[in-house]
Amino acid sequence: MQTFLESKPRTESIWRSVILFGRNVASYKFALGKSLLELADKETNFVSMEDLAEPFSRHISEHLKINDNQGTSQSSRFLNKARDYNKGDCSKSDLLSTTVSLGFNNVIDAFHVVGGGDVPKRFFMDERTERKGIVITDNLLKLKEHFQFSNFSHEVEARWRLVETAWSLKISPQLLEVRHDLGDNILFTETDLSRRINITSSRDSLNGYQKGKCFYCRKGIRIEKSDDGEIVDVDHFFPHTLLTELPEVNINGVWNLVLACQECNRGTGGKFERIPKIQFLERLHARNEYLINSHHPLRETIINQTGKDTPKRIKFLQQMDQKAIDIIPTRWSPPEAHEG
Ligand SMILES: [Zn+2]
């Protein structure tokens, strides 16, 4: 009789799950991930905490220069030390000794925890009690043989940038996520397609361009909840229902989110699940270009989601419009448009 075999995750999948999934309260996991990849490249086995402190604190310091949001907690003595180091207020050896004593709190223990449990393979063994260090395992060294080894460090970096950006904007990292298809050779992330991500927190970020006006009709909108309960809707330009039809597209990405008044989104004559008329596609393009050119924190996210240069981004939106209208063949524009 034919029986099922239990599928086993591949080592590289386990590595990616460590980096890509799980909740982050600080960026230490990314710093440790990048440090481990460096150590694997040098084929090191035993690593003392002092030796680990160097790459670890270097990555943290570099990231603090890009984005000061490296954790969700208000203060961290270790991060403050790294900030001092960046300002030239403390020496490298001072930074390293603080890293050894404070920098690894939790991260060594938490690194292999994904979804509430330990992953089936470890990339290092914790021997801090016995030998004041960690031992790199064959699993990590095996990653080096993988043809995508050079990608792993870029993946950690990309994920890190995304999480710190989300922290600084106070929005869900999933909104900034890029979904690559397998054909791209870069498996990046798979979000749960059936779950509607809570997008309310993105209001403030999106309003910068719209300046308090509905994306479609230009009527004044409220970002804050008012007494009458009227608050602006976050609308998927290309409807959220396309998610199941077009799994390769990140419908929940910020590139596709606009602020709309309730009337336009779901009032009489509202948009609901129709495709906006072509002038609104132009407006969406202008909005995305605005965010990119003004060096908004979402700049890189929108570039990642829609294309590296303007022609590519136009092509992306054009193709998106074609795919969408093939699935939902009805156009919409607001019954009444305001000036502005
Ligand atoms: Zn409107």
Side-chain angles (χ1 to χ4, degrees):
M1 199 178 90
Q2 190 73 34
T3 53
F4 287 103
L5 290 173
E6 188 177 274
S7 312
K8 290 205 171 62
R10 291 164 300 167
T11 307
E12 64 272 21
S13 310
I14 296 173
W15 171 263
R16 284 182 162 130
S17 75
V18 165
I19 299 302
L20 303 180
F21 296 104
R23 288 158 51 87
N24 302 101
V25 290
S27 55
Y28 304 159
K29 189 158 95 170
F30 304 126
L32 184 55
K34 291 197 79 163
S35 305
L36 290 170
L37 291 171
E38 276 183 43
L39 294 161
D41 208 25
K42 288 182 194 149
E43 313 222 356
T44 319
N45 279 99
F46 177 75
V47 186
S48 69
M49 293 321 283
E50 281 78 14
D51 288 346
L52 190 58
E54 194 287 315
F56 185 83
S57 60
R58 167 163 42 85
H59 291 303
I60 293 280
S61 307
E62 288 303 312
H63 268 263
L64 278 171
K65 287 184 203 163
I66 304 168
N67 192 321
D68 198 55
N69 291 270
Q70 294 300 330
T72 50
S73 81
Q74 291 297 317
S75 69
S76 150
R77 282 166 63 200
F78 165 60
L79 288 180
N80 286 340
K81 183 61 85 174
R83 288 183 183 107
D84 287 347
Y85 174 74
N86 282 346
K87 283 186 279 184
D89 291 348
C90 84
S91 67
K92 181 94 180 177
S93 67
D94 196 3
L95 172 65
L96 292 183
S97 62
T98 305
T99 307
V100 170
S101 56
L102 300 172
F104 299 109
N105 289 349
N106 305 321
V107 68
I108 300 277
D109 292 331
F111 190 79
H112 293 98
V113 177
V114 174
D118 272 12
V119 291
K121 289 181 182 175
R122 295 186 66 91
F123 297 99
F124 62 85
M125 305 307 285
D126 179 8
E127 296 198 356
R128 281 177 295 172
T129 333
E130 304 87 337
R131 300 162 70 187
K132 293 196 168 42
I134 59 166
V135 173
I136 303 291
T137 64
D138 286 348
N139 295 322
L140 184 64
L141 298 174
K142 231 190 282 172
L143 279 185
K144 207 190 152 184
E145 292 157 24
H146 197 273
F147 71 100
Q148 287 185 359
F149 183 74
S150 59
N151 279 341
F152 291 140
S153 184
H154 296 297
E155 290 180 8
V156 181
E157 182 63 22
R159 177 75 197 174
W160 191 345
R161 294 297 299 273
L162 193 136
V163 170
E164 69 197 9
T165 302
W167 280 335
S168 62
L169 297 173
K170 296 187 171 57
I171 67 179
S172 160
Q174 281 163 293
L175 290 176
L176 309 182
E177 209 89 67
V178 191
R179 199 153 40 227
H180 292 271
D181 48 308
L182 286 162
D184 254 1
N185 230 355
I186 319 164
L187 172 66
F188 212 77
T189 179
E190 288 166 37
T191 47
D192 180 355
L193 295 183
S194 61
R195 212 178 108 239
R196 183 154 186 158
I197 298 165
N198 178 11
I199 51 179
T200 50
S201 58
S202 52
R203 286 192 180 102
D204 294 344
S205 307
L206 296 172
N207 190 44
Y209 177 73
Q210 297 186 216
K211 298 183 177 70
K213 304 231 165 107
C214 170
F215 182 82
Y216 301 105
C217 74
R218 309 281 208 202
K219 190 178 89 174
I221 48 174
R222 287 206 191 99
I223 305 297
E224 301 293 331
K225 204 177 176 97
S226 62
D227 294 340
D228 56 13
E230 168 107 6
I231 187 165
V232 64
D233 283 352
V234 179
D235 176 55
H236 289 79
F237 184 93
F238 290 109
H240 184 258
T241 41
L242 293 171
L243 199 69
T244 41
E245 308 285 337
L246 303 171
E248 74 278 14
V249 180
N250 184 0
I251 290 287
N252 281 317
V254 279
W255 71 272
N256 190 42
L257 301 178
V258 299
L259 301 176
C261 69
Q262 291 186 1
E263 202 57 26
C264 279
N265 195 29
R266 53 198 158 99
T268 318
K271 174 175 169 268
F272 293 94
E273 280 161 6
R274 287 177 284 179
I275 313 299
K277 283 193 175 159
I278 208 72
Q279 67 264 33
F280 298 105
L281 189 69
E282 272 166 25
R283 197 177 284 177
L284 180 69
H285 174 66
R287 193 282 306 263
N288 288 344
E289 293 298 300
Y290 168 85
L291 292 175
I292 288 168
N293 293 324
S294 59
H295 292 260
H296 191 272
L298 293 174
R299 174 190 163 84
E300 274 183 68
T301 293
I302 294 173
I303 290 174
N304 286 336
Q305 289 173 345
T306 61
K308 282 197 168 55
D309 53 40
T310 306
K312 285 200 178 73
R313 295 192 284 270
I314 290 173
K315 198 174 161 204
F316 170 83
L317 289 180
Q318 185 65 66
Q319 289 175 336
M320 204 41 231
D321 188 65
Q322 181 66 59
K323 287 179 192 175
I325 204 71
D326 281 337
I327 297 165
I328 306 170
T330 49
R331 296 268 181 200
W332 172 85
S333 65
E336 190 188 2
H338 302 252
E339 290 297 310

